[in-house]
Amino acid sequence: MRKFRTLDEFEEEYFRKRPEEIDNYLTEIFQEYSEDNDSGALLASLRVVARVRGINDIADQIGMTYRGLQKALSSNGNPRLENVNSIMKALGYFLTPTTITDNFCDSKLDIPQTAEVPTNDDD
């Protein structure tokens, strides 16, 4: 029987051959997360990057076990923010905010650009 590779395995192999593309990949997965709030996809993608960079070394750096880090970065994981921050630092990145553009607000969040202030017509 033929064994097929998973998407994670394919991505891991791809980034092992092209580590210079990891920066753009991380930017993209966080952008997608900001739009769809799919934490499972974000964590699975971070797990791929962690495997490429050496998941055992990262686990040691942040004081987690290999299994604990694998679990935290699984699609069902629910790591605390400080764990995600530690993982990102071990990967060589900071969690930094990005300003939301007006077009993003209009199309994704449906936030009005100007607020209407009620007036008191009784005066």
Side-chain angles (χ1 to χ4, degrees):
M1 185 162 106
R2 185 173 176 191
K3 182 182 184 256
F4 293 97
R5 293 187 307 164
T6 65
L7 179 59
D8 284 355
E9 291 168 335
F10 174 79
E11 287 179 327
E12 187 177 336
E13 179 184 334
Y14 179 87
F15 288 115
R16 284 188 192 284
K17 292 179 181 176
R18 298 167 188 85
E20 71 280 0
E21 294 188 27
I22 290 175
D23 289 351
N24 289 334
Y25 178 67
L26 287 171
T27 300
E28 182 67 27
I29 64 172
F30 274 94
Q31 177 66 41
E32 287 178 11
Y33 174 72
S34 72
E35 295 173 9
D36 64 20
N37 292 319
D38 186 350
S39 59
L42 175 68
L43 294 172
S45 296
L46 287 175
R47 185 178 64 242
V48 168
V49 174
R51 285 181 178 162
V52 170
R53 296 276 175 94
I55 200 162
N56 284 320
D57 292 337
I58 291 168
D60 287 344
Q61 273 185 285
I62 64 174
M64 290 182 81
T65 65
Y66 169 84
R67 278 180 139 358
L69 183 54
Q70 284 280 77
K71 183 179 178 184
L73 293 178
S74 73
S75 58
N76 295 322
N78 190 17
R80 296 185 318 225
L81 181 59
E82 55 265 23
N83 289 345
V84 174
N85 191 44
S86 294
I87 292 164
M88 291 301 292
K89 281 184 179 178
L91 291 172
Y93 300 91
F94 290 112
L95 290 177
T96 58
T98 302
T99 304
I100 298 174
T101 63
D102 290 342
N103 291 337
F104 182 82
C105 284
D106 291 340
S107 64
K108 303 294 181 188
L109 299 178
D110 198 28
I111 297 173
Q113 294 300 306
T114 58
E116 292 183 31
V117 178
T119 59
N120 188 350
D121 291 337
D122 294 336
D123 290 340

